[in-house]
Amino acid sequence: MIKLGINIDHVATLRQQRKETEPDVCEAARIALASGADSITVHLREDRRHIQDADVEALCEFVPRLNLEMSIAPEIVSIADRLRPKHICLVPEKREELTTEGGLDVVGMIDRITEVVQTLQSEDTEVSLFIDPDKAQLDAAKASGAQAIELHTGDYANYDQEPVKQMAELQRLHEAALYAHSLGLVVNAGHGLKYHNTDPIVALPHMNELNIGHSIICRSVFVGLSEAVKEMAVIVKAS
Ligand code: PXP
């Protein structure tokens, strides 16, 4: 059965807008875990626009499978090295972006990425690379020594109004999932997934885990976080 990782960054976005103490991200994590989430994902961005260092520390204390999304900036790498979450997903990061744009260029940064993988990956910590569904990037991910990849589904999701392009992107994801598995990589996916476009991603081969955030937090405004997570868990665990 495919696992569901819930990204709770936007609970912190709401809190940071007023620099308040609520909504509490730890409470959000507890509700998500009690409602069908298998893991909790947070992105500690260099600009700290939502998740703060103290959030990651607090979540590490009680979340059994915490997935820390992060850039390869030395400051962030040293925080991850100290906290040692169960999972780490290396992502590209630009200050001016609204959310992560595209996958990591593992081919272009192979030396630095290999160094970060070697620093952070251990028996207790799995490192995943967030990449586009591209054979050269998958080969480079394998060469870096990372155990897992997360396929970037953002382009697939962005083509919601263009079915032909969306089918082509789904085919790319399908081929990438097969190829990644043949290389021995754990295959995850995420970004931009919503209640109406996740079924085809669930049907991709060898899928281990989907990481979904924004759409679930949006839905929770109307139905509550527990119900929003449960509804997505039904879709993801239909496999
Ligand atoms: N996976 C990765 C690597 C991401 O950077 C993000 C966004 O933080 C997500 C999944 C979740 O994306 P969304 O919030 O669009 O569901």
Side-chain angles (χ1 to χ4, degrees):
M1 195 184 287
I2 299 177
K3 294 193 266 300
L4 173 61
I6 305 283
N7 182 313
I8 57 170
D9 288 349
H10 297 304
V11 175
T13 301
L14 210 52
R15 180 193 63 194
Q16 293 307 111
Q17 285 233 303
R18 291 274 178 103
K19 300 277 188 285
E20 299 262 4
T21 54
E22 57 181 17
D24 177 1
V25 293
C26 289
E27 183 62 11
R30 285 193 189 92
I31 291 170
L33 290 170
S35 308
D38 298 288
S39 63
I40 299 296
T41 296
V42 290
H43 185 171
L44 184 67
R45 295 187 72 102
E46 291 166 54
D47 64 10
R48 308 299 200 272
R49 67 173 71 157
H50 38 53
I51 293 294
Q52 307 295 303
D53 302 44
D55 295 324
V56 185
E57 293 195 20
L59 290 164
C60 275
E61 292 291 318
F62 73 94
V63 176
R65 295 181 67 243
L66 183 70
N67 176 31
L68 180 64
E69 280 177 18
M70 52 176 274
S71 75
I72 53 174
E75 184 224 353
I76 303 289
V77 173
S78 73
I79 292 171
D81 197 12
R82 179 168 58 81
L83 295 177
R84 295 268 151 199
K86 197 94 188 128
H87 299 269
I88 287 174
C89 183
L90 302 181
V91 301
E93 195 175 305
K94 291 191 217 116
R95 285 209 169 226
E96 61 281 8
E97 69 192 357
L98 283 177
T99 180
T100 315
E101 290 170 356
L104 199 59
D105 179 12
V106 190
V107 175
M109 296 185 293
I110 185 70
D111 290 347
R112 173 65 183 151
I113 289 171
T114 302
E115 183 183 35
V116 174
V117 170
Q118 278 172 2
T119 303
L120 298 178
Q121 195 162 259
S122 69
E123 251 180 46
D124 296 325
T125 302
E126 177 188 76
V127 177
S128 163
L129 306 181
F130 183 56
I131 55 175
D132 291 326
D134 176 274
K135 196 164 179 284
Q137 296 294 348
L138 285 163
D139 284 331
K142 177 69 183 172
S144 77
Q147 290 170 335
I149 49 114
E150 180 172 328
L151 292 173
H152 176 228
T153 53
D155 289 340
Y156 159 83
N158 285 339
Y159 286 137
D160 253 357
Q161 304 303 321
E162 296 172 86
V164 174
K165 287 184 180 169
Q166 192 168 53
M167 281 308 291
E169 193 56 28
L170 190 61
Q171 183 58 27
R172 280 183 76 202
L173 288 162
H174 188 103
E175 284 160 19
L178 287 175
Y179 187 59
H181 180 75
S182 77
L183 293 175
L185 294 161
V186 174
V187 187
N188 303 318
H191 207 278
L193 297 178
K194 303 188 191 323
Y195 293 85
H196 70 268
N197 66 15
T198 297
D199 280 341
I201 302 298
V202 169
L204 290 175
H206 309 301
M207 210 41 72
N208 172 62
E209 183 162 47
L210 301 186
N211 283 309
I212 309 179
H214 189 262
S215 62
I216 293 173
I217 304 304
C218 288
R219 179 123 182 92
S220 76
V221 171
F222 300 109
V223 301
L225 184 56
S226 177
E227 180 59 24
V229 171
K230 283 179 187 164
E231 288 176 12
M232 190 58 92
V234 167
I235 296 168
V236 169
K237 289 164 193 291
S239 52

